[in-house]
């Protein structure tokens, strides 16, 4: 008799080699990839400042009475993500401090690149045993997705089909299936279920993108 353990993040059943973990290996790899995508001079975080309007914030009519609401356009969302108190940096910083605390360490260098490297270095530990692994994985995915949205940097993983999974409410999921070459898996963007890799669809999608 075996108990069926599930990944606390995507709820997929854990495989034998993943027994006892909080998160499955696919979610761990997604998190590691997210940290890689955010970091570096060409990464998503660095691209945020370029996503602000080139004309700068001081252009346009100003109201002294403050009666008119500023439009919540792309710039407001970019500024949110760049905010030192609530933005991407702050989110990663609080997780790094939290992980270090659990490991009995103290964070010396709070720079963004160091945080990305530190979290990536310990991501296997966190996916194995951090009690709030699912919260971290969800929050990181959200930050990466928001950065992609405002910078216009599309996810490079090709769409290879539509998810046919029947959801608990008996409707079909219908989410985009994305193939990730790094993990060699196909996963639904909506319900996060992995699907068997359809090589013909992957080849066709890659050829389409290259064209
Ligand atoms: Zn998972
Ligand atoms: Zn789905």
């Amino acid at each position: 008799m075996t108990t069926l353990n599930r990944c606390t993040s995507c709820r997929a059943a854990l495989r034998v080699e993943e027994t006892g973990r909080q998160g499955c290996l696919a979610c761990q790899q997604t998190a590691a990839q997210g940290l890689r995508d955010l970091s570096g001079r060409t990464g998503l975080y660095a691209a945020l400042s370029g996503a602000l309007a080139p004309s700068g914030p001081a252009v346009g009519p100003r109201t002294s009475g403050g009666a008119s609401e500023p439009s919540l356009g792309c710039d407001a969302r970019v500024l949110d993500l760049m905010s030192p108190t609530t933005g991407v940096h702050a989110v990663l910083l609080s997780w790094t401090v939290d992980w270090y605390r659990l490991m009995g360490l103290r964070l010396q260098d709070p720079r963004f690149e160091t945080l990305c490297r530190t979290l990536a270095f310990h991501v296997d530990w966190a996916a194995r045993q951090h009690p709030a692994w699912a919260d971290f994985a969800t929050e990181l995915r959200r930050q990466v997705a928001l950065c992609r949205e405002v910078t216009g940097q599309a996810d490079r993983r090709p769409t290879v089909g539509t998810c046919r999974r029947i959801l608990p409410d008996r409707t079909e999921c219908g989410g985009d299936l994305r193939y990730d070459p790094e993990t060699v898996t196909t996963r639904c963007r909506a319900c996060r279920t992995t699907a068997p890799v359809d090589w013909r669809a992957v080849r066709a999608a890659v050829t389409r993108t290259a064209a």
Side-chain angles (χ1 to χ4, degrees), residues 7-12 14 22-28 133 187:
C7 169
T8 56
S9 174
C10 71
R11 311 302 305 161
L14 292 175
Q22 293 278 330
C24 71
L25 285 166
C27 283
Q28 179 185 322
W133 161 257
R187 188 176 281 268

Side-chain angles (χ1 to χ4, degrees), residues 22-156:
Q22 293 278 330
C24 71
L25 285 166
C27 283
Q28 179 185 322
Q29 277 156 354
T30 303
Q33 181 65 48
L35 292 164
R36 275 198 294 276
D37 290 350
L38 285 173
S39 62
R41 264 181 294 172
T42 56
L44 286 167
Y45 189 69
L48 284 178
S49 49
L52 289 167
S55 50
V59 178
R62 294 229 152 196
T63 50
S64 50
S68 69
E69 279 286 305
S71 69
L72 279 174
C74 189
D75 280 6
R77 292 192 299 156
V78 177
L79 289 172
D80 270 354
L81 289 165
M82 293 171 76
S83 153
T85 49
T86 55
V88 189
H89 191 166
V91 169
L92 295 193
L93 178 63
S94 73
W95 280 109
T96 314
V97 169
D98 171 76
W99 291 15
Y100 263 31
R101 186 181 50 79
L102 285 175
M103 290 186 283
L105 299 168
R106 253 192 70 182
L107 180 68
Q108 308 283 352
D109 179 2
R111 280 176 302 175
F112 188 79
E113 295 300 319
T114 315
L115 300 180
C116 289
R117 267 201 307 275
T118 306
L119 291 169
F121 186 76
H122 297 292
V123 77
D124 179 64
W125 164 83
R128 282 177 194 280
Q129 51 178 298
H130 195 299
W133 161 257
D135 293 338
F136 166 75
T138 305
E139 185 60 41
L140 177 63
R141 255 201 314 268
R142 202 177 79 88
Q143 298 293 332
V144 170
L146 286 169
C147 287
R148 275 196 204 294
E149 228 174 277
V150 298
T151 59
Q153 283 194 26
D155 194 331
R156 284 188 292 271

